[in-house]
Amino acid sequence: MLTARCPTHPALSDWVPVAQLCLSRPTSLADDGKSYLNVVVSAYCREVHHAACIAAPVFASLPRNGVQYGIEPLDSFFKFVYEEVVE
């Protein structure tokens, strides 16, 4: 799950889920692919920002370089966000 936030904006200071990304990574990576995922998010920053603007239109009023992006495992998202908020 890709998340975004803007620490300088009061309404967006917490992580907002904006997109789901499915990747297959080389199993030879020793760090569970975390550095690989960071490279992917950096490479697709424009697309992730566009998804953020669709998920929460307030992101459109912010400069892309002022937004922070993060990666959260899908099971964590369902355990701590989806089940707590939606259900």
Side-chain angles (χ1 to χ4, degrees):
M1 183 65 62
L2 297 176
T3 58
R5 73 176 182 169
C6 183
T8 60
H9 193 284
L12 297 172
S13 60
D14 199 8
W15 294 104
V16 177
V18 296
Q20 185 173 347
L21 180 67
C22 299
L23 295 173
S24 67
R25 63 174 176 79
T27 57
S28 61
L29 295 176
D31 65 352
D32 288 338
K34 291 179 184 170
S35 61
Y36 182 70
L37 291 174
N38 289 333
V39 169
V40 169
V41 171
S42 293
Y44 288 102
C45 182
R46 181 177 20 198
E47 289 79 3
V48 174
H49 185 261
H50 181 70
C53 292
I54 292 170
V58 70
F59 277 112
S61 67
L62 303 170
R64 191 176 8 167
N65 61 353
V67 178
Q68 296 176 348
Y69 303 98
I71 303 165
E72 184 175 341
L74 194 57
D75 57 340
S76 288
F77 170 75
F78 280 111
K79 182 177 180 181
F80 297 112
V81 178
Y82 187 81
E83 291 176 357
E84 295 294 323
V85 176
V86 176
E87 292 185 356

